[in-house]
Amino acid sequence: MANRFVLFYAYKSVPSGFLSALSSGVEPSKALGHIGISLDGGKTIHGFQPKVPAGSNPREVVGELIRHRKTLPGVVKNDTAIFKDIYTTKPPGQKVFVSRKIVTEGELKAITAKLFDEKQPEYGFSKSTGLNCGSYITKYLGLDGINKE
């Protein structure tokens, strides 16, 4: 079997603090920092997020998750546009980092099956309740030991 690789894209939360950024109107994906995974060489970057109820304000929902250690159903979305926006606009204190990990064909199939499964784990910020975008990749998908490029 041939070895393949997965790419990881990540950026840190805003330097001013994510709760104050959320309350000032910054979108959660930009305020909190994010990590996503690409299986196609960077064409599509998938990210794990909370499934925000229809009609709800994402900033308020995420603020509640953080403050009260709540969870919501998790969902995998195409976050390519989010990463491209951070990369091109270069907000102060934020930079997109790219890493990769070599995986076997069998590992890639297992990762793909979990990533695109309709049933995803709960999303949350507390270590005891749910997974966030980073712990989803390391714990749920089983990917750790990434190398910076």
Side-chain angles (χ1 to χ4, degrees), residues 8 15 57 139-140:
F8 303 90
N57 180 321
K139 292 180 181 176
Y140 185 71

Side-chain angles (χ1 to χ4, degrees), residues 61-147:
V61 171
V62 170
E64 286 292 307
L65 288 176
I66 294 167
R67 282 190 283 281
H68 302 290
R69 299 182 183 266
K70 294 182 178 181
T71 64
L72 280 175
V75 63
V76 175
K77 292 187 173 185
N78 180 342
D79 287 343
T80 309
I82 296 168
F83 285 93
K84 284 186 177 180
D85 183 49
I86 295 290
Y87 181 80
T88 56
T89 60
K90 296 176 179 45
Q94 289 184 306
K95 174 184 174 186
V96 175
F97 296 93
V98 181
S99 303
R100 72 178 182 148
K101 180 174 177 119
I102 295 173
V103 294
T104 66
E105 196 71 36
E107 289 171 323
L108 185 63
K109 285 180 183 178
I111 293 163
T112 302
K114 284 185 169 183
L115 190 65
F116 296 111
D117 190 341
E118 284 189 34
K119 179 143 175 60
Q120 294 291 332
E122 289 285 300
Y123 187 98
F125 291 97
S126 170
K127 291 180 182 178
S128 62
T129 58
L131 302 174
N132 62 31
C133 58
S135 57
Y136 174 83
I137 288 173
T138 58
K139 292 180 181 176
Y140 185 71
L141 296 181
L143 290 166
D144 57 4
I146 58 177
N147 301 308

Side-chain angles (χ1 to χ4, degrees), residues 45-58:
I45 304 168
H46 306 282
F48 184 64
Q49 300 180 20
K51 187 174 184 179
V52 176
S56 298
N57 180 321

